[in-house]
Each structure stands twice: as structure tokens, then as C-alpha cells.
Amino acid sequence: MSRLAKGLLILAILSATLGCFTTENTLGDAPVVACGFFSGLFLLALVLGRKIKFDPVLR
């Protein structure tokens, strides 16, 4: 996992935690939207960072 993917995962977890444990509705839906945004970027970073090896010789 790349450093970018790790950072986005941490940001997604922190924003989800903030959204779950905030008792008052002072922030609105911002933590939930941020969690979705960071989760999407995390998945994109995982897909782009994956190195696919192709072996043309069938064994």
C-alpha cells in the first residue's frame, strides 16, 4: 500500500469517527461527506498503485 493510500485511509477513518461521535449537529453532514470522498480517493489510490503482472506464457 502506498503512502498516499495510507494517508487517505487515515483521513477516512478520522472523518468517520468524527461523524459518529459528534453529539451536536454543529458540523452538519460534512464529516460523512468527507468520509465518502476520502474513501473513494483511497480506493482509487489502491487501484492506480497496484502493479499487475502479466505472464504471456501459459503454463
Side-chain angles (χ1 to χ4, degrees):
M1 189 181 320
S2 67
R3 292 176 61 199
L4 177 64
K6 287 178 186 176
L8 289 169
L9 178 63
I10 290 170
L11 286 173
I13 291 172
L14 288 175
S15 60
T17 305
L18 182 66
C20 289
F21 293 122
T22 303
T23 56
E24 297 178 10
N25 199 8
T26 57
L27 298 175
D29 291 335
V32 177
V33 172
C35 179
F37 180 72
F38 290 136
S39 298
L41 287 178
F42 168 69
L43 291 176
L44 183 66
L46 282 180
V47 169
L48 292 177
R50 183 175 179 176
K51 298 192 179 8
I52 299 173
K53 295 181 182 177
F54 177 69
D55 188 13
V57 178
L58 298 175
R59 296 179 186 180

Short mmCIF file of all heavy atoms in Angstrom, two decimals:
data_model
loop_
_atom_site.label_atom_id
_atom_site.label_comp_id
_atom_site.label_asym_id
_atom_site.label_seq_id
_atom_site.Cartn_x
_atom_site.Cartn_y
_atom_site.Cartn_z
N MET A 1 0.85 -1.17 0.00
CA MET A 1 0.00 0.00 0.00
C MET A 1 0.90 1.24 0.00
O MET A 1 1.86 1.31 0.76
CB MET A 1 -0.91 -0.02 1.23
CG MET A 1 -1.96 1.04 1.20
SD MET A 1 -3.08 1.13 2.62
CE MET A 1 -3.44 -0.51 3.04
N SER A 2 0.57 2.18 -0.85
CA SER A 2 1.39 3.38 -0.96
C SER A 2 1.16 4.32 0.22
O SER A 2 0.21 4.17 0.98
CB SER A 2 1.08 4.09 -2.28
OG SER A 2 -0.24 4.61 -2.23
N ARG A 3 2.05 5.30 0.33
CA ARG A 3 1.92 6.28 1.41
C ARG A 3 0.67 7.12 1.23
O ARG A 3 0.01 7.49 2.20
CB ARG A 3 3.16 7.16 1.44
CG ARG A 3 4.41 6.42 1.87
CD ARG A 3 5.64 7.27 1.80
NE ARG A 3 5.52 8.40 2.69
CZ ARG A 3 6.26 9.49 2.60
NH1 ARG A 3 7.16 9.58 1.65
NH2 ARG A 3 6.10 10.47 3.45
N LEU A 4 0.33 7.42 -0.03
CA LEU A 4 -0.88 8.19 -0.32
C LEU A 4 -2.13 7.43 0.11
O LEU A 4 -3.03 7.99 0.74
CB LEU A 4 -0.94 8.51 -1.81
CG LEU A 4 -2.18 9.26 -2.28
CD1 LEU A 4 -2.24 10.64 -1.64
CD2 LEU A 4 -2.20 9.34 -3.78
N ALA A 5 -2.16 6.13 -0.19
CA ALA A 5 -3.31 5.32 0.19
C ALA A 5 -3.43 5.21 1.71
O ALA A 5 -4.54 5.28 2.25
CB ALA A 5 -3.21 3.93 -0.43
N LYS A 6 -2.31 5.09 2.39
CA LYS A 6 -2.34 5.02 3.86
C LYS A 6 -2.87 6.33 4.45
O LYS A 6 -3.66 6.33 5.38
CB LYS A 6 -0.95 4.74 4.42
CG LYS A 6 -0.50 3.33 4.20
CD LYS A 6 0.90 3.12 4.73
CE LYS A 6 1.41 1.75 4.37
NZ LYS A 6 2.80 1.54 4.79
N GLY A 7 -2.42 7.46 3.90
CA GLY A 7 -2.89 8.76 4.37
C GLY A 7 -4.37 8.95 4.14
O GLY A 7 -5.09 9.46 5.00
N LEU A 8 -4.86 8.54 2.97
CA LEU A 8 -6.29 8.67 2.68
C LEU A 8 -7.12 7.75 3.56
O LEU A 8 -8.23 8.11 3.97
CB LEU A 8 -6.55 8.37 1.20
CG LEU A 8 -6.04 9.43 0.23
CD1 LEU A 8 -6.12 8.93 -1.20
CD2 LEU A 8 -6.83 10.73 0.39
N LEU A 9 -6.59 6.56 3.86
CA LEU A 9 -7.30 5.66 4.77
C LEU A 9 -7.41 6.26 6.16
O LEU A 9 -8.47 6.21 6.80
CB LEU A 9 -6.59 4.31 4.83
CG LEU A 9 -7.18 3.27 5.77
CD1 LEU A 9 -8.59 2.89 5.33
CD2 LEU A 9 -6.30 2.04 5.83
N ILE A 10 -6.34 6.86 6.64
CA ILE A 10 -6.36 7.51 7.95
C ILE A 10 -7.36 8.66 7.97
O ILE A 10 -8.13 8.82 8.92
CB ILE A 10 -4.95 7.96 8.35
CG1 ILE A 10 -4.08 6.74 8.64
CG2 ILE A 10 -4.97 8.89 9.56
CD1 ILE A 10 -2.61 7.05 8.80
N LEU A 11 -7.36 9.48 6.92
CA LEU A 11 -8.31 10.58 6.85
C LEU A 11 -9.75 10.09 6.81
O LEU A 11 -10.64 10.69 7.43
CB LEU A 11 -8.01 11.45 5.63
CG LEU A 11 -6.78 12.35 5.73
CD1 LEU A 11 -6.52 13.01 4.39
CD2 LEU A 11 -6.97 13.39 6.81
N ALA A 12 -10.01 9.01 6.09
CA ALA A 12 -11.37 8.45 6.03
C ALA A 12 -11.81 7.94 7.39
O ALA A 12 -12.94 8.17 7.82
CB ALA A 12 -11.43 7.34 4.99
N ILE A 13 -10.90 7.26 8.09
CA ILE A 13 -11.25 6.74 9.42
C ILE A 13 -11.48 7.88 10.41
O ILE A 13 -12.43 7.84 11.20
CB ILE A 13 -10.15 5.78 9.91
CG1 ILE A 13 -10.16 4.50 9.08
CG2 ILE A 13 -10.32 5.46 11.39
CD1 ILE A 13 -9.01 3.57 9.35
N LEU A 14 -10.64 8.90 10.36
CA LEU A 14 -10.81 10.04 11.27
C LEU A 14 -12.11 10.78 11.01
O LEU A 14 -12.82 11.17 11.94
CB LEU A 14 -9.62 10.99 11.17
CG LEU A 14 -8.32 10.50 11.78
CD1 LEU A 14 -7.20 11.49 11.49
CD2 LEU A 14 -8.47 10.26 13.26
N SER A 15 -12.45 10.99 9.75
CA SER A 15 -13.70 11.70 9.45
C SER A 15 -14.92 10.85 9.80
O SER A 15 -15.94 11.39 10.25
CB SER A 15 -13.74 12.14 7.99
OG SER A 15 -13.67 11.03 7.14
N ALA A 16 -14.83 9.54 9.63
CA ALA A 16 -15.94 8.67 10.03
C ALA A 16 -16.11 8.68 11.55
O ALA A 16 -17.24 8.73 12.06
CB ALA A 16 -15.70 7.25 9.54
N THR A 17 -14.99 8.66 12.27
CA THR A 17 -15.04 8.73 13.73
C THR A 17 -15.64 10.05 14.19
O THR A 17 -16.46 10.08 15.11
CB THR A 17 -13.63 8.55 14.31
OG1 THR A 17 -13.08 7.34 13.81
CG2 THR A 17 -13.67 8.52 15.82
N LEU A 18 -15.22 11.12 13.56
CA LEU A 18 -15.77 12.43 13.90
C LEU A 18 -17.27 12.49 13.62
O LEU A 18 -18.03 13.03 14.42
CB LEU A 18 -15.04 13.53 13.12
CG LEU A 18 -15.47 14.96 13.40
CD1 LEU A 18 -15.11 15.35 14.82
CD2 LEU A 18 -14.83 15.90 12.41
N GLY A 19 -17.70 11.91 12.52
CA GLY A 19 -19.12 11.90 12.19
C GLY A 19 -19.95 11.05 13.14
O GLY A 19 -21.09 11.38 13.44
N CYS A 20 -19.36 9.98 13.64
CA CYS A 20 -20.11 9.09 14.54
C CYS A 20 -20.18 9.62 15.96
O CYS A 20 -21.20 9.46 16.64
CB CYS A 20 -19.48 7.71 14.56
SG CYS A 20 -19.72 6.79 13.06
N PHE A 21 -19.11 10.24 16.42
CA PHE A 21 -19.04 10.62 17.83
C PHE A 21 -19.35 12.08 18.10
O PHE A 21 -19.23 12.52 19.24
CB PHE A 21 -17.68 10.27 18.41
CG PHE A 21 -17.45 8.79 18.48
CD1 PHE A 21 -16.37 8.20 17.83
CD2 PHE A 21 -18.32 7.97 19.18
CE1 PHE A 21 -16.16 6.85 17.90
CE2 PHE A 21 -18.13 6.60 19.24
CZ PHE A 21 -17.04 6.04 18.60
N THR A 22 -19.73 12.84 17.10
CA THR A 22 -20.14 14.22 17.32
C THR A 22 -21.60 14.20 17.79
O THR A 22 -22.47 13.71 17.09
CB THR A 22 -20.01 15.05 16.04
OG1 THR A 22 -18.67 14.96 15.59
CG2 THR A 22 -20.37 16.48 16.29
N THR A 23 -21.84 14.72 18.99
CA THR A 23 -23.19 14.65 19.54
C THR A 23 -24.09 15.75 18.99
O THR A 23 -25.24 15.52 18.70
CB THR A 23 -23.14 14.75 21.08
OG1 THR A 23 -22.46 15.95 21.44
CG2 THR A 23 -22.42 13.56 21.66
N GLU A 24 -23.57 16.94 18.85
CA GLU A 24 -24.37 18.03 18.33
C GLU A 24 -24.23 18.10 16.82
O GLU A 24 -23.26 17.64 16.25
CB GLU A 24 -23.92 19.36 18.96
CG GLU A 24 -24.12 19.40 20.45
CD GLU A 24 -23.63 20.71 21.04
OE1 GLU A 24 -23.32 21.62 20.26
OE2 GLU A 24 -23.55 20.80 22.26
N ASN A 25 -25.20 18.68 16.19
CA ASN A 25 -25.20 18.77 14.74
C ASN A 25 -24.57 20.09 14.29
O ASN A 25 -25.08 20.75 13.40
CB ASN A 25 -26.62 18.63 14.20
CG ASN A 25 -26.64 18.24 12.75
OD1 ASN A 25 -25.61 17.94 12.17
ND2 ASN A 25 -27.81 18.26 12.15
N THR A 26 -23.45 20.46 14.90
CA THR A 26 -22.81 21.72 14.54
C THR A 26 -22.08 21.63 13.21
O THR A 26 -22.00 22.62 12.49
CB THR A 26 -21.80 22.14 15.63
OG1 THR A 26 -20.85 21.09 15.78
CG2 THR A 26 -22.50 22.38 16.94
N LEU A 27 -21.56 20.46 12.89
CA LEU A 27 -20.82 20.29 11.64
C LEU A 27 -21.71 19.89 10.47
O LEU A 27 -21.26 19.91 9.33
CB LEU A 27 -19.71 19.26 11.82
CG LEU A 27 -18.64 19.60 12.85
CD1 LEU A 27 -17.68 18.44 13.01
CD2 LEU A 27 -17.90 20.84 12.44
N GLY A 28 -22.92 19.48 10.75
CA GLY A 28 -23.81 19.04 9.69
C GLY A 28 -23.37 17.69 9.13
O GLY A 28 -22.96 16.81 9.87
N ASP A 29 -23.47 17.55 7.83
CA ASP A 29 -23.10 16.30 7.18
C ASP A 29 -21.67 16.33 6.63
O ASP A 29 -21.29 15.45 5.87
CB ASP A 29 -24.07 15.99 6.04
CG ASP A 29 -25.45 15.63 6.54
OD1 ASP A 29 -25.54 15.15 7.69
OD2 ASP A 29 -26.42 15.81 5.78
N ALA A 30 -20.90 17.33 6.99
CA ALA A 30 -19.56 17.47 6.45
C ALA A 30 -18.65 16.27 6.75
O ALA A 30 -17.94 15.81 5.85
CB ALA A 30 -18.92 18.75 6.95
N PRO A 31 -18.64 15.71 7.97
CA PRO A 31 -17.77 14.54 8.20
C PRO A 31 -18.17 13.32 7.38
O PRO A 31 -17.31 12.57 6.93
CB PRO A 31 -17.93 14.26 9.70
CG PRO A 31 -18.39 15.53 10.29
CD PRO A 31 -19.22 16.18 9.24
N VAL A 32 -19.46 13.14 7.17
CA VAL A 32 -19.92 11.98 6.41
C VAL A 32 -19.55 12.15 4.93
O VAL A 32 -19.10 11.20 4.28
CB VAL A 32 -21.45 11.80 6.57
CG1 VAL A 32 -21.95 10.66 5.72
CG2 VAL A 32 -21.80 11.58 8.03
N VAL A 33 -19.71 13.36 4.42
CA VAL A 33 -19.33 13.63 3.03
C VAL A 33 -17.82 13.49 2.87
O VAL A 33 -17.34 12.92 1.88
CB VAL A 33 -19.81 15.03 2.60
CG1 VAL A 33 -19.26 15.42 1.27
CG2 VAL A 33 -21.32 15.09 2.60
N ALA A 34 -17.06 13.99 3.83
CA ALA A 34 -15.60 13.87 3.77
C ALA A 34 -15.17 12.41 3.84
O ALA A 34 -14.23 12.00 3.14
CB ALA A 34 -14.97 14.66 4.91
N CYS A 35 -15.85 11.62 4.64
CA CYS A 35 -15.54 10.19 4.74
C CYS A 35 -15.76 9.51 3.40
O CYS A 35 -14.94 8.71 2.94
CB CYS A 35 -16.37 9.53 5.83
SG CYS A 35 -16.06 7.77 5.98
N GLY A 36 -16.86 9.79 2.75
CA GLY A 36 -17.13 9.22 1.44
C GLY A 36 -16.12 9.65 0.40
O GLY A 36 -15.67 8.86 -0.43
N PHE A 37 -15.75 10.92 0.43
CA PHE A 37 -14.76 11.46 -0.51
C PHE A 37 -13.40 10.81 -0.32
O PHE A 37 -12.77 10.35 -1.28
CB PHE A 37 -14.68 12.97 -0.33
CG PHE A 37 -13.71 13.65 -1.24
CD1 PHE A 37 -13.98 13.77 -2.59
CD2 PHE A 37 -12.53 14.16 -0.74
CE1 PHE A 37 -13.08 14.39 -3.44
CE2 PHE A 37 -11.62 14.78 -1.58
CZ PHE A 37 -11.90 14.89 -2.93
N PHE A 38 -12.94 10.75 0.93
CA PHE A 38 -11.64 10.15 1.21
C PHE A 38 -11.64 8.65 0.94
O PHE A 38 -10.63 8.10 0.50
CB PHE A 38 -11.20 10.42 2.65
CG PHE A 38 -10.85 11.86 2.90
CD1 PHE A 38 -11.30 12.50 4.05
CD2 PHE A 38 -10.09 12.58 2.01
CE1 PHE A 38 -10.98 13.82 4.29
CE2 PHE A 38 -9.76 13.90 2.24
CZ PHE A 38 -10.21 14.53 3.38
N SER A 39 -12.77 7.98 1.18
CA SER A 39 -12.85 6.55 0.89
C SER A 39 -12.77 6.29 -0.61
O SER A 39 -12.11 5.34 -1.05
CB SER A 39 -14.15 5.97 1.44
OG SER A 39 -14.19 6.10 2.84
N GLY A 40 -13.43 7.13 -1.38
CA GLY A 40 -13.35 6.99 -2.83
C GLY A 40 -11.95 7.23 -3.35
O GLY A 40 -11.46 6.50 -4.22
N LEU A 41 -11.29 8.25 -2.82
CA LEU A 41 -9.91 8.51 -3.23
C LEU A 41 -8.97 7.38 -2.78
O LEU A 41 -8.01 7.05 -3.47
CB LEU A 41 -9.43 9.84 -2.67
CG LEU A 41 -10.02 11.09 -3.32
CD1 LEU A 41 -9.49 12.34 -2.62
CD2 LEU A 41 -9.71 11.13 -4.79
N PHE A 42 -9.25 6.79 -1.62
CA PHE A 42 -8.47 5.66 -1.14
C PHE A 42 -8.58 4.48 -2.09
O PHE A 42 -7.57 3.87 -2.46
CB PHE A 42 -8.92 5.27 0.27
CG PHE A 42 -8.38 3.95 0.75
CD1 PHE A 42 -7.04 3.81 1.04
CD2 PHE A 42 -9.21 2.86 0.91
CE1 PHE A 42 -6.52 2.59 1.47
CE2 PHE A 42 -8.72 1.66 1.35
CZ PHE A 42 -7.37 1.52 1.63
N LEU A 43 -9.79 4.17 -2.53
CA LEU A 43 -9.98 3.06 -3.46
C LEU A 43 -9.30 3.35 -4.80
O LEU A 43 -8.70 2.46 -5.41
CB LEU A 43 -11.46 2.78 -3.66
CG LEU A 43 -12.19 2.21 -2.46
CD1 LEU A 43 -13.68 2.07 -2.76
CD2 LEU A 43 -11.60 0.86 -2.08
N LEU A 44 -9.38 4.60 -5.25
CA LEU A 44 -8.71 4.99 -6.49
C LEU A 44 -7.19 4.85 -6.36
O LEU A 44 -6.52 4.37 -7.28
CB LEU A 44 -9.09 6.42 -6.86
CG LEU A 44 -8.53 6.94 -8.17
CD1 LEU A 44 -9.13 6.17 -9.34
CD2 LEU A 44 -8.83 8.41 -8.31
N ALA A 45 -6.65 5.25 -5.22
CA ALA A 45 -5.21 5.12 -4.99
C ALA A 45 -4.79 3.65 -4.94
O ALA A 45 -3.70 3.30 -5.42
CB ALA A 45 -4.81 5.83 -3.70
N LEU A 46 -5.64 2.79 -4.40
CA LEU A 46 -5.32 1.37 -4.38
C LEU A 46 -5.31 0.79 -5.79
O LEU A 46 -4.44 -0.01 -6.14
CB LEU A 46 -6.33 0.60 -3.52
CG LEU A 46 -6.16 0.68 -2.02
CD1 LEU A 46 -7.24 -0.14 -1.34
CD2 LEU A 46 -4.80 0.19 -1.60
N VAL A 47 -6.27 1.18 -6.61
CA VAL A 47 -6.35 0.65 -7.97
C VAL A 47 -5.19 1.16 -8.81
O VAL A 47 -4.56 0.40 -9.55
CB VAL A 47 -7.71 1.03 -8.61
CG1 VAL A 47 -7.71 0.74 -10.09
CG2 VAL A 47 -8.84 0.30 -7.93
N LEU A 48 -4.88 2.44 -8.70
CA LEU A 48 -3.80 3.01 -9.50
C LEU A 48 -2.42 2.54 -9.03
O LEU A 48 -1.49 2.45 -9.83
CB LEU A 48 -3.86 4.53 -9.48
CG LEU A 48 -5.05 5.15 -10.20
CD1 LEU A 48 -5.02 6.66 -10.04
CD2 LEU A 48 -5.07 4.77 -11.65
N GLY A 49 -2.28 2.26 -7.77
CA GLY A 49 -1.00 1.85 -7.22
C GLY A 49 -0.70 0.38 -7.37
O GLY A 49 0.41 -0.08 -7.10
N ARG A 50 -1.69 -0.37 -7.81
CA ARG A 50 -1.50 -1.82 -7.92
C ARG A 50 -0.69 -2.14 -9.17
O ARG A 50 -0.98 -1.67 -10.26
CB ARG A 50 -2.85 -2.51 -7.99
CG ARG A 50 -2.76 -3.98 -8.03
CD ARG A 50 -4.11 -4.60 -7.97
NE ARG A 50 -3.94 -6.04 -8.03
CZ ARG A 50 -4.90 -6.90 -7.92
NH1 ARG A 50 -6.12 -6.46 -7.74
NH2 ARG A 50 -4.68 -8.17 -8.00
N LYS A 51 0.28 -2.97 -9.00
CA LYS A 51 1.09 -3.39 -10.13
C LYS A 51 0.60 -4.76 -10.58
O LYS A 51 0.70 -5.74 -9.86
CB LYS A 51 2.55 -3.42 -9.74
CG LYS A 51 3.06 -2.07 -9.32
CD LYS A 51 4.55 -2.07 -9.23
CE LYS A 51 5.16 -0.76 -8.85
NZ LYS A 51 4.38 0.31 -8.45
N ILE A 52 0.07 -4.80 -11.79
CA ILE A 52 -0.47 -6.05 -12.33
C ILE A 52 0.61 -6.70 -13.18
O ILE A 52 1.13 -6.09 -14.12
CB ILE A 52 -1.74 -5.77 -13.15
CG1 ILE A 52 -2.80 -5.15 -12.26
CG2 ILE A 52 -2.24 -7.06 -13.77
CD1 ILE A 52 -4.02 -4.69 -13.00
N LYS A 53 0.95 -7.91 -12.86
CA LYS A 53 1.95 -8.64 -13.63
C LYS A 53 1.23 -9.58 -14.59
O LYS A 53 0.33 -10.32 -14.20
CB LYS A 53 2.86 -9.43 -12.69
CG LYS A 53 3.68 -8.55 -11.79
CD LYS A 53 4.57 -9.37 -10.88
CE LYS A 53 5.35 -8.45 -9.97
NZ LYS A 53 6.18 -9.18 -9.02
N PHE A 54 1.63 -9.50 -15.83
CA PHE A 54 1.02 -10.32 -16.86
C PHE A 54 2.07 -11.28 -17.40
O PHE A 54 3.14 -10.86 -17.85
CB PHE A 54 0.45 -9.46 -17.99
CG PHE A 54 -0.12 -10.25 -19.12
CD1 PHE A 54 -1.29 -10.97 -18.94
CD2 PHE A 54 0.52 -10.30 -20.34
CE1 PHE A 54 -1.81 -11.72 -19.97
CE2 PHE A 54 -0.02 -11.02 -21.38
CZ PHE A 54 -1.18 -11.74 -21.20
N ASP A 55 1.77 -12.54 -17.36
CA ASP A 55 2.69 -13.56 -17.87
C ASP A 55 2.09 -14.09 -19.17
O ASP A 55 1.12 -14.84 -19.15
CB ASP A 55 2.86 -14.66 -16.84
CG ASP A 55 3.94 -15.66 -17.22
OD1 ASP A 55 4.70 -15.36 -18.16
OD2 ASP A 55 4.02 -16.72 -16.60
N PRO A 56 2.67 -13.72 -20.30
CA PRO A 56 2.09 -14.16 -21.57
C PRO A 56 2.27 -15.66 -21.85
O PRO A 56 1.60 -16.21 -22.70
CB PRO A 56 2.83 -13.31 -22.61
CG PRO A 56 4.10 -12.95 -21.97
CD PRO A 56 3.82 -12.86 -20.50
N VAL A 57 3.17 -16.31 -21.15
CA VAL A 57 3.38 -17.74 -21.36
C VAL A 57 2.43 -18.50 -20.45
O VAL A 57 2.48 -18.41 -19.23
CB VAL A 57 4.84 -18.12 -21.02
CG1 VAL A 57 5.06 -19.61 -21.21
CG2 VAL A 57 5.79 -17.31 -21.87
N LEU A 58 1.54 -19.25 -21.07
CA LEU A 58 0.61 -20.06 -20.29
C LEU A 58 1.30 -21.34 -19.86
O LEU A 58 1.85 -22.07 -20.67
CB LEU A 58 -0.64 -20.37 -21.12
CG LEU A 58 -1.45 -19.17 -21.54
CD1 LEU A 58 -2.57 -19.61 -22.47
CD2 LEU A 58 -2.02 -18.46 -20.35
N ARG A 59 1.27 -21.59 -18.59
CA ARG A 59 1.98 -22.78 -18.08
C ARG A 59 1.01 -23.83 -17.64
O ARG A 59 -0.01 -23.68 -17.19
CB ARG A 59 2.87 -22.37 -16.91
CG ARG A 59 3.92 -21.44 -17.37
CD ARG A 59 4.77 -21.01 -16.24
NE ARG A 59 5.70 -20.00 -16.73
CZ ARG A 59 6.59 -19.42 -16.00
NH1 ARG A 59 6.71 -19.74 -14.74
NH2 ARG A 59 7.40 -18.54 -16.52
#
